[in-house]
């Protein structure tokens, strides 16, 4: 197909400059939802050197798949239902990630709608800032923790105030959403944080993600419920419970309805 006729590929990232908010977990969960359930074709660029956690999880899961008739049958059924192979994971360094991804996209006949970039946890890593400048939108999960909030707000303000106005940057927006919400917490805490964020010109997304232990639950050799997987989408009950369907829909609306 003529490249001029190809659909636009959206370069986005679920990222944070503070550990413990689930940037890689959200990347995996959202990639699976978009790719297998919502009809978008997805690539994940794992730039989180040296751990490359998404790439390593994919390798672990492929080893389990190779030994498990249960998951092989599930994979066959998934392909028959969706026509989708598993989404590709690219091993990247931040400094060369955009080139690596563009080379991949140019080399395939597939039309991809989204590339998720899983970034290192610090902007001090070589190449991270130029990579961020080359993305379309940034989504930042927040947790109502003082240190995480301070780091995340500083990061978000840097993008909003320095990158978005620049003609050299591709970024169109930075979007924050609450994650790991303990429903026993008092809501005024979130109201106060949101007022402070609004004062900085950083409005929150509508979707709030509750705290759930199953976010970290991977495939097991003995089978069982599917939660976080690079091969399958999360089970529908888990997705609904965690509001991932709402988060996916809101991201699509933001990105695709410009």
């Amino acid at each position: 197909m003529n490249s001029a006729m190809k659909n636009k590929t959206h370069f986005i990232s679920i990222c944070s400059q503070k550990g413990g908010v689930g940037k890689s977990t959200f990347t995996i969960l959202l990639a699976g939802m978009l790719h297998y359930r919502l009809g978008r074709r997805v690539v994940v660029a794992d730039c989180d050197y040296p751990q490359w956690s998404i790439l390593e999880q994919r390798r672990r899961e492929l080893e389990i798949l190779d030994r498990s008739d249960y998951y092989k049958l599930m994979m066959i059924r998934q392909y028959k239902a969706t026509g989708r192979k598993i989404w590709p994971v690219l091993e990247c360094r931040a400094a060369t990630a955009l080139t690596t991804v563009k080379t991949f996209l140019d080399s395939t006949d597939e039309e991809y709608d989204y590339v998720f970039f899983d970034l290192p946890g610090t902007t001090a890593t070589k190449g991270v800032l130029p990579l961020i400048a080359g993305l379309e939108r940034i989504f930042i999960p927040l947790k109502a923790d003082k240190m995480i909030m301070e780091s995340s707000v500083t990061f978000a303000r840097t993008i909003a105030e320095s990158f978005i106005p620049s003609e050299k940057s591709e970024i169109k927006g930075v979007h924050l959403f609450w994650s790991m919400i303990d429903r026993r917490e008092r809501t005024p805490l979130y109201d106060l944080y949101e007022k402070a964020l609004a004062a900085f010109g950083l409005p929150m997304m509508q979707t709030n993600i509750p705290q759930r232990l199953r976010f970290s639950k991977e495939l097991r050799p003995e089978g069982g419920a599917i939660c976080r997987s690079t091969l399958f989408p999360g089970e529908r009950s888990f997705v609904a419970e965690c509001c991932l369907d709402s988060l996916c829909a809101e991201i699509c609306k933001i990105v695709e309805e410009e």
Side-chain angles (χ1 to χ4, degrees), residues 180-223:
M180 299 185 180
I181 291 181
D182 185 340
R183 288 176 175 164
R184 297 169 298 178
E185 289 179 332
R186 302 173 70 87
T187 55
L189 173 66
Y190 291 94
D191 294 336
L192 290 172
Y193 275 131
E194 288 182 11
K195 287 180 181 178
L197 291 167
F200 292 132
L202 299 170
M204 298 294 299
M205 294 173 64
Q206 295 180 1
T207 306
N208 299 326
I209 308 298
Q211 184 174 14
R212 290 293 182 271
L213 295 176
R214 290 199 295 163
F215 273 126
S216 61
K217 187 176 181 181
E218 296 186 20
L219 292 191
R220 295 175 296 177
E222 65 272 20

Side-chain angles (χ1 to χ4, degrees), residues 30-57:
L30 293 170
M33 283 287 295
L34 286 166
H35 192 70
Y36 300 118
R37 296 252 170 87
L38 297 183
R40 275 68 165 182
R41 294 188 183 273
V42 173
V43 180
V44 172
D46 190 347
C47 312
D48 197 8
Y49 171 84
Q51 57 265 31
W52 281 310
S53 58
I54 295 178
L55 197 67
E56 287 303 313
Q57 182 172 339

Side-chain angles (χ1 to χ4, degrees), residues 7-255:
N7 296 328
K8 177 179 175 60
T9 304
H10 301 288
F11 287 11
I12 69 173
S13 180
I14 313 295
C15 63
S16 174
Q17 293 298 287
K18 197 69 178 176
V21 296
K23 67 180 183 65
S24 297
T25 293
F26 279 119
T27 298
I28 291 170
L29 292 169
L30 293 170
M33 283 287 295
L34 286 166
H35 192 70
Y36 300 118
R37 296 252 170 87
L38 297 183
R40 275 68 165 182
R41 294 188 183 273
V42 173
V43 180
V44 172
D46 190 347
C47 312
D48 197 8
Y49 171 84
Q51 57 265 31
W52 281 310
S53 58
I54 295 178
L55 197 67
E56 287 303 313
Q57 182 172 339
R58 169 62 62 80
R59 288 172 177 161
R60 290 194 300 272
E61 291 185 323
L62 288 176
E63 290 176 359
I64 292 173
L65 179 66
D66 188 55
R67 301 191 303 267
S68 171
D69 291 337
Y70 174 84
Y71 287 124
K72 285 177 183 175
L73 179 58
M74 185 179 292
M75 180 66 69
I76 291 169
R77 288 174 174 169
Q78 175 171 272
Y79 182 75
K80 287 182 177 179
T82 66
R84 294 295 172 87
K85 299 178 182 178
I86 59 176
W87 42 263
V89 186
L90 306 180
E91 182 180 306
C92 304
R93 295 288 187 100
T96 56
L98 289 172
T99 300
T100 300
V101 167
K102 289 174 182 176
T103 298
F104 171 81
L105 294 175
D106 288 341
S107 69
T108 178
D109 292 330
E110 296 280 355
E111 292 187 28
Y112 287 95
D113 302 293
Y114 285 86
V115 180
F116 282 81
F117 289 79
D118 190 42
L119 305 183
T122 172
T123 54
T125 302
K126 181 180 178 181
V128 169
L129 291 177
L131 172 54
I132 290 174
L135 305 183
E136 183 179 342
R137 293 187 184 273
I138 299 292
F139 296 88
I140 303 176
L142 296 180
K143 182 181 179 182
D145 171 272
K146 185 174 184 295
M147 291 184 65
I148 290 175
M149 288 296 298
E150 288 177 354
S151 174
S152 299
V153 171
T154 299
F155 178 50
R157 289 187 67 189
T158 298
I159 296 171
E161 296 172 9
S162 301
F163 285 72
I164 294 177
S166 173
E167 294 181 356
K168 297 181 180 180
S169 170
E170 299 292 331
I171 294 185
K172 298 178 180 178
V174 53
H175 311 274
L176 296 79
F177 64 94
W178 290 116
S179 68
M180 299 185 180
I181 291 181
D182 185 340
R183 288 176 175 164
R184 297 169 298 178
E185 289 179 332
R186 302 173 70 87
T187 55
L189 173 66
Y190 291 94
D191 294 336
L192 290 172
Y193 275 131
E194 288 182 11
K195 287 180 181 178
L197 291 167
F200 292 132
L202 299 170
M204 298 294 299
M205 294 173 64
Q206 295 180 1
T207 306
N208 299 326
I209 308 298
Q211 184 174 14
R212 290 293 182 271
L213 295 176
R214 290 199 295 163
F215 273 126
S216 61
K217 187 176 181 181
E218 296 186 20
L219 292 191
R220 295 175 296 177
E222 65 272 20
I226 303 291
C227 297
R228 185 183 71 184
S229 172
T230 71
L231 303 181
F232 306 98
E235 292 189 347
R236 293 185 187 276
S237 59
F238 166 72
V239 166
E241 175 189 352
C242 298
C243 303
L244 293 170
D245 47 357
S246 298
L247 183 60
C248 269
E250 190 170 359
I251 287 175
C252 287
K253 183 176 182 180
I254 289 169
V255 173

